[in-house]
Amino acid sequence: DTEVTQTPKHLVMGMTNKKSLKCEQHMGHRAMYWYKQKAKKPPELMFVYSYEKLSINESVPSRFSPECPNSSLLNLHLHALQPEDSALYLCASSPRLAGGSYEQYFGPGTRLTVT
Amino acid sequence: AQKITQTQPGMFVQEKEAVTLDCTYDTSDPSYGLFWYKQPSSGEMIFLIYQGSYDQQNATEGRYSLNFQKARKSANLVISASQLGDSAMYFCAMSDYTGTASKLTFGTGTRLQVTL
């Protein structure tokens, strides 16, 4: 099973709302990632978790708050977002963190629209 | 800092023909990994192929092969016998080997259209 699942598929939220994105994998991977992808652009890394600990935060605004409750689950809590935060949010996982031949497996993404 | 360059914003290929998607990279690290991902309009990033910087042979995975020319710092993707389902955005990416983390740097992508 090489599947990463993400819910919801689509999300529309107002600037004062609080919502969460969920990502799950059951491949035993110990590294999980959040990416943001704007239309017609490549994905941009936001956060990396390794063994349920935050390893990288790419200077992401605090209105995005990641959480890794266990090794299979990754959440992204959203609060007071701006319209420019509208994007496709991709979750990924990989078998290990450091070193290269381990590809990242991506989920289908959540398309977020902030109104 | 690492950099990936994909100079072809869009490519057309006829069904059953082969196509080459270009990718050049720049890094000062002796150890790195190169990846190709396919992104259909549905949004999911699908891993296609991997090449390690110390690999002597070019990587192949079914209809996909990676033409790795280390001296030229290029890692072109070759798709043989194109199919309509190959129409998608293709991203070249490089992994950054650090002591504590692995990050992927993506190129800007090439949109491939397969025609009848």
Side-chain angles (χ1 to χ4, degrees), chain B residues 40-59:
Chain B
S41 55
S42 58
E44 184 173 357
M45 298 282 284
I46 301 166
F47 166 74
L48 296 178
I49 197 165
Y50 163 82
Q51 181 84 41
S53 57
Y54 294 118
D55 292 344
Q56 297 294 314
Q57 307 265 13
N58 284 346

Side-chain angles (χ1 to χ4, degrees), chain A residues 33 35 37 40-43 45 48 55-56 58 88 90 97-108 111, chain B residues 33 35 37 39 41-47 50 89 91 95 97-104 106-109:
Chain A
Y33 310 77
Y35 289 86
Q37 186 177 23
K40 300 185 181 179
K41 297 286 188 184
L45 183 66
V48 181
S55 178
I56 293 177
E58 291 284 89
L88 178 68
L90 292 161
L97 193 60
S101 67
Y102 294 96
E103 64 272 19
Q104 293 182 20
Y105 294 89
F106 284 79
R111 290 196 186 274
Chain B
F35 302 79
Y37 283 87
Q39 188 176 38
S41 55
S42 58
E44 184 173 357
M45 298 282 284
I46 301 166
F47 166 74
Y50 163 82
M89 183 71 102
F91 290 100
S95 61
Y97 297 175
T98 70
T100 58
S102 177
K103 297 162 57 171
L104 278 181
F106 288 87
T108 51

Side-chain angles (χ1 to χ4, degrees), chain A residues 35-44 82-89 111-112, chain B residues 39 91:
Chain A
Y35 289 86
K36 174 183 176 179
Q37 186 177 23
K38 301 284 277 183
K40 300 185 181 179
K41 297 286 188 184
E44 294 177 354
Q82 303 296 310
E84 59 264 29
D85 295 322
S86 298
L88 178 68
Y89 288 83
R111 290 196 186 274
L112 174 68
Chain B
Q39 188 176 38
F91 290 100

